[in-house]
Amino acid sequence: MGWVMEYAIEVRGLRKSFGTQQVLHAVDFHVKPTQIFALLGSNGAGKTTIIKILSTLLAADGGTARVAGAEVGREPERVRRAISLTGQSSAVDEALTGEENLVMFGRLRGLGKLAAQRRAAELLEEFELQDAARKPLRSYSGGMRRRLDLALSLVLRPELLFLDEPTTGLDPHSRRRLWKIIEQLSRDGTTVLLTTQYLDEADHLADHIAVLHEGRIAAHGSAAQLKSALTGQSVQLHDDAGGLRAQHATDGSLRGLRDALDGFLGQGLEGTVALYSPTLDDVYFEITSRSNTVTGQGEQR
Amino acid sequence: MSTHHLARVRHTAPEWLFTIRSLRHSLRDGESLLLAIVLPVMLMLLMTAVFGGALDPTGSYVDFVAPAIILTCAGFGASTTSVYVANDLKSGIVDRFRSMPVRASAVLTGHVLASVLRNLLATSIVLVVAVLVGFRAGGTLLDWLGAAALITGYILAITYLFAAIGLAASSPESANGYGFILLFLPYLSSGFVPLESLVSWLRPLATYQPMTPIIDTIRALMLGGDPGNQWIWAVGWCLAILLFSVILGSWFFRRRTRR
């Protein structure tokens, strides 16, 4: 296939309501092939709803969504062949062993018995689950369960992988491990769409971040772009207890820094100096508080 | 790994893969498995050794009661299907199957087929115990085949009904609760005592409920008697329950998995 798709996922004007509650208001975004794309948002922002629509589980009320070139509403079978979904609630079979789960998913995807067994063995090794291969999933730790959950999505290498909050509830060590796996998948050519409520996760993993707030994409770009959209760095002066005593905006240059320090000295202030760069948290809080006021005005009208 | 494998097994129906899955569940669900084996034995011993002497001093009560115990135990065995189905919906695994190029409704078929196989095993155990406590079989091979077919049909119908209940229930716990009511039906039939011995207000219910013709027919076939036209009612009831449950089940499945 010499032909390369421009976008692995294209979402335009996507709308969805449950009863009277509108969960998605005209959501637009697109994901390039092999990108890791993060949908960042708090609980109830609509992240899972988007994943469900894109993985053919839920029909949208309006707008279009194309996944791997196929329209989700019209050609669900084509979409299903291209994707793998690892949902939020570790949908694995608790009563089966890790190996049995993998073989079953392999066979459901059309592998023969032998091929499915071979693939299961490969994945167990790759995800460092050999020791637990013959144990029922009930006995797995949270991290092991997530790894198996992810492995189940990879029995046949999917074109696109949807991960709904892949690291929620994991300890930092398991989290790092999962991040490495996800990065490797993207390097190997899989497009990854993940949702997360953790800013550092989006910051660390994603090539592109869309901030979802109250059913709208409130901002998007790379982590660096989102951060630089905010006011730049500042020099902060802290007292001994760590409290902020004063701050001075700066452009990060030597001269700017000296101006800031001169300012503090001129006011006769003392304390510890720190150079502060905005984090993704700042971006997130800035964006969400801004769109809060926008919605507030809308309601008054 | 060749295309040979891929080509050959593309034909493995998901129904069969899910049946294997459900059978594994049954084997690993220790409590249910124990119940499936112990309950028939206990019920049979209770009915024959404790109540049997009072109900029929000649000692042939076991001949009378065996079909009812078979159906009661099949009901118990089938009722776990509702919990399995409700669990699958709750855990999200059905959604995961739906996101794959697989017939997701095959999960249900798998649960039903596994339940039928499991309950046929339980039925065999009941029969063995019955023979051990003095059941004297009559009837020709053809009669027995007929009885086996009717028992299988009943198990299939009641399992489908429980699968539908599992789809309708909001949680595995409530699925369990709904199912419990159905398990009393065999007691209100001609299965454990003759209809004539029931209080008058209960008699019409017992006469016209599905259990009575089904049990009467199985009893007649196993003992070599003549079921008369009760067998038509028996087969009719099984088909009606099956049809009702399949329609109800697919309606609820569509509702629970609506896009």
Side-chain angles (χ1 to χ4, degrees):
Chain A
M1 40 194 278
W3 176 76
V4 177
M5 241 181 314
E6 193 184 357
Y7 296 121
I9 302 173
E10 260 185 283
V11 174
R12 271 183 225 283
L14 202 63
R15 286 185 292 108
K16 180 73 188 173
S17 307
F18 295 110
T20 54
Q21 197 198 356
Q22 188 150 12
V23 179
L24 300 177
H25 310 256
V27 169
D28 294 277
F29 66 90
H30 42 250
V31 181
K32 288 182 189 152
T34 80
Q35 224 175 20
I36 300 182
F37 188 99
L39 274 174
L40 177 66
S42 48
N43 286 332
K47 306 187 296 283
T48 301
T49 305
I50 292 180
I51 294 276
K52 281 194 166 168
I53 291 171
L54 294 182
S55 55
T56 77
L57 298 182
L58 205 61
D61 294 341
T64 57
R66 297 180 77 84
V67 171
E71 197 165 322
V72 173
R74 297 225 179 96
E75 306 165 280
E77 277 305 308
R78 261 186 75 196
V79 174
R80 286 174 195 151
R81 274 195 289 273
I83 65 164
S84 261
L85 166 69
T86 296
Q88 210 175 113
S89 61
S90 277
V92 290
D93 195 314
E94 296 277 320
L96 301 189
T97 68
E99 190 180 26
E100 287 166 345
N101 263 293
L102 284 164
V103 172
M104 178 175 75
F105 274 77
R107 299 204 64 191
L108 285 172
R109 293 253 182 208
L111 291 180
K113 197 170 181 177
L114 281 175
Q117 282 167 349
R118 220 169 298 162
R119 182 66 184 137
E122 276 171 28
L123 285 164
L124 286 166
E125 196 184 329
E126 202 177 318
F127 286 76
E128 295 171 50
L129 290 165
Q130 303 102 307
D131 296 342
R134 300 269 157 92
K135 289 180 189 152
L137 254 65
R138 276 193 199 99
S139 64
Y140 280 35
S141 71
M144 287 160 70
R145 192 181 300 243
R146 285 303 166 87
R147 291 210 301 282
L148 185 88
D149 201 350
L150 191 51
L152 289 177
S153 285
L154 303 175
V155 279
L156 289 191
R157 178 54 65 89
E159 244 179 271
L160 281 114
L161 182 62
F162 295 150
L163 302 171
D164 198 5
E165 303 204 1
T167 66
T168 300
L170 287 191
D171 62 80
H173 192 76
S174 308
R175 231 171 140 210
R176 290 273 161 182
R177 206 160 171 183
L178 218 57
W179 284 357
K180 283 218 176 88
I181 296 170
I182 295 168
E183 281 166 342
Q184 187 58 45
L185 283 170
S186 155
R187 273 197 294 275
D188 292 346
T190 297
T191 309
V192 180
L193 172 67
L194 64 89
T195 72
T196 184
Q197 42 179 325
Y198 301 122
L199 299 143
D200 61 329
E201 183 157 283
D203 201 355
H204 180 99
L205 269 183
D207 302 307
H208 202 91
I209 300 168
V211 181
L212 189 65
H213 184 62
E214 294 180 342
R216 289 188 175 84
I217 302 289
H220 68 94
S222 66
Q225 284 169 343
L226 287 176
K227 287 178 202 168
S228 69
L230 269 190
T231 41
Q233 296 173 313
S234 62
V235 182
Q236 300 188 333
L237 192 70
H238 297 274
D239 57 28
D240 294 340
L244 182 64
R245 196 168 268 171
Q247 66 175 335
H248 208 293
T250 172
D251 55 3
S253 70
L254 197 56
R255 182 172 296 278
L257 194 61
R258 198 181 65 189
D259 289 347
L261 295 179
D262 284 345
F264 293 145
L265 288 170
Q267 289 172 269
L269 295 170
E270 275 300 331
T272 319
V273 174
L275 189 61
Y276 184 78
S277 307
T279 64
L280 208 47
D281 287 77
D282 299 316
V283 178
Y284 183 74
F285 290 125
E286 160 100 11
I287 288 165
T288 52
S289 61
R290 204 187 328 143
S291 32
N292 262 337
T293 46
V294 171
T295 335
Q297 284 167 354
E299 278 163 3
Q300 279 165 13
R301 254 174 243 153
Chain B
M1 184 176 335
S2 50
T3 45
H4 168 73
H5 278 309
L6 289 175
R8 188 166 53 85
V9 230
R10 286 241 172 238
H11 300 294
T12 310
E15 281 78 4
W16 178 239
L17 297 171
F18 286 129
T19 303
I20 295 171
R21 163 180 184 255
S22 302
L23 284 174
R24 284 196 168 122
H25 279 221
S26 315
L27 285 175
R28 283 175 206 166
D29 185 354
E31 270 171 50
S32 299
L33 192 66
L34 197 70
L35 197 71
I37 294 167
V38 172
L39 185 84
V41 178
M42 295 284 288
L43 199 60
M44 183 63 85
L45 292 179
L46 181 75
M47 284 302 156
T48 54
V50 180
F51 298 123
L55 290 166
D56 185 351
T58 65
S60 60
Y61 183 60
V62 60
D63 294 344
F64 182 82
V65 82
I69 294 180
I70 289 174
L71 292 204
T72 307
C73 294
F76 266 107
S79 70
T80 50
T81 305
S82 67
V83 180
Y84 287 141
V85 169
N87 255 327
D88 273 358
L89 284 169
K90 190 186 168 197
S91 76
I93 204 160
V94 169
D95 272 353
R96 187 168 200 163
F97 294 141
R98 285 177 58 218
S99 77
M100 291 163 58
V102 169
R103 241 189 333 276
S105 63
V107 182
L108 296 182
T109 316
H111 280 309
V112 170
L113 284 179
S115 163
V116 170
L117 293 174
R118 206 170 55 220
N119 285 305
L120 287 177
L121 179 73
T123 303
S124 316
I125 294 172
V126 177
L127 275 175
V128 170
V129 177
V131 169
L132 288 179
V133 296
F135 180 77
R136 288 161 298 131
T140 62
L141 182 66
L142 205 64
D143 289 337
W144 275 79
L145 286 177
L150 185 54
I151 292 170
T152 311
Y154 172 76
I155 293 174
L156 182 68
I158 190 107
T159 300
Y160 244 111
L161 183 58
F162 277 113
I165 290 172
L167 289 166
S170 53
S171 72
E173 291 74 22
S174 63
N176 204 6
Y178 291 132
F180 206 70
I181 302 164
L182 280 172
L183 299 176
F184 278 97
L185 275 184
Y187 295 103
L188 309 177
S189 76
S190 65
F192 291 90
V193 291
L195 286 177
E196 302 78 54
S197 67
L198 295 171
V199 264
S200 58
W201 57 265
L202 199 56
R203 225 172 287 158
L205 172 78
T207 310
Y208 295 110
Q209 69 127 318
M211 289 305 188
T212 294
I214 297 173
I215 289 174
D216 284 352
T217 306
I218 294 173
R219 185 187 289 135
L221 289 172
M222 289 202 312
L223 297 177
D226 176 16
N229 56 10
Q230 279 290 66
W231 74 269
I232 299 172
W233 282 102
V235 172
W237 270 116
C238 286
L239 288 176
I241 296 171
L242 186 62
L243 191 69
F244 170 76
S245 308
V246 168
I247 292 171
L248 192 73
S250 43
W251 186 76
F252 271 115
F253 188 74
R254 272 200 304 275
R255 216 176 80 123
R256 294 294 293 267
T257 59
R258 190 158 48 196
R259 308 206 317 121

